[in-house]
Amino acid sequence: MSEFADSWQETWVNINGEYVKGPEATVSVLDWSFVYGDGVFEGVSVVDGRILKLDEHVDRLYRSAKRARFGLEDAISREEMAERWLDTARKNEIDTGYLRPLVSRGEGPMGISNHGEVDGPNVYVIPQLHRSSGFKTLSSARARLSSIRSPSPVVRDPRVKANHYMPNILAKMEIADTDASVPIRLDDDGYVTEAAAANVFVVNGDTVLTPDDQQILSGTTRAALLDLLEADDRWEAEVTGLTPYDLYTADELFVTGSIGGVKAITHLNGDPIGAGEAGPVAAAMNEMLVDHLIENGTPLE
Ligand SMILES: Cc1ncc(COP(=O)(O)O)c(C=O)c1O
């Protein structure tokens, strides 16, 4: 059995406040998250017994749910939600791992005009005890520009962290047989948006640039890094439009996310970025972020 399958047997999943062991943790086929992808979620890291950016993840979940009109505020308060995540981490004795809180509209008859008959929302907290990538260490990878464009915010607002990850999965699959593991996506006008599940940063001298958050998921890690940069006079942060040209000609390129932390991108479509290896700024950002996020994380106990 794989390490994941092994640990899944022992994982407690929280479904609407009740704990169920992983293999028994199932959802109804009438759950609209299953039928229509009608759900929103978060990906939350637990590192050294602390939940990182707990309030920011809760806030983003509630903003996504508000846009989706799930009535989440009426069903469960933010404080209860945060406590449920902490309790799920405690119950699973997670020291370092991952939580996937997911809220669906609920269960109801099929047919999108039946939204009024859906009984919900359903709140799931799914832990993953096994993790392959280290949050603390600066990892590196090669990237490729994806042919799968980010949807325009007028079609589907990327700030809603909704369960429609098929394009993100396809972007990953598209490059599976290449030298790269990070797809970098563009919008319809050719501007850089984000990776499949991470935000993009470029380093030019002492300026660190990232696309604005109109057409990306507003990452909690990105926001934390921008705050840190604001308070640090070694670097300037700039939020601006970036094209592939800016990526190819950068001194350094890196991506950020709650699960992977900072990942240096050494090559784009086979071309070396800067020296073609993880650079000093990505390393400094990683150190700054890791220290800050763990120090300010919410202890489980
Ligand atoms: C599409 C997308 N962009 C960016 C991110 C990074 O966001 P965060 O730093 O909050 O993990 C994620 C994380 O899951 C994501 O799915």
Side-chain angles (χ1 to χ4, degrees), residues 41-43 57 60 98 100 158 161 165 168 185 194-199 216-223 256-259:
F41 71 101
E42 280 299 317
H57 283 289
R60 190 170 65 189
Y98 173 73
R100 162 61 55 85
K161 193 165 168 61
Y165 266 47
N168 310 48
R185 300 176 68 194
E194 58 190 333
N199 293 123
I216 58 171
L217 181 76
S218 226
T220 56
T221 321
R222 171 184 177 277
T256 64
S258 294
I259 307 311

Side-chain angles (χ1 to χ4, degrees), residues 20 26 29 34 36 57 70 82 118 126 134 141 155 167 220 224 249 257 284 293:
V20 192
T26 53
V29 291
F34 174 69
Y36 292 120
H57 283 289
F70 282 175
V118 175
I126 313 162
V155 177
T220 56
T249 59
L293 293 180

Side-chain angles (χ1 to χ4, degrees), residues 43-47 50-52 57 97-99 131 135 258-260:
V44 184
S45 256
V46 186
V47 181
R50 287 160 183 259
I51 295 193
L52 308 188
H57 283 289
Y98 173 73
L99 290 179
R131 38 185 302 134
F135 175 83
S258 294
I259 307 311

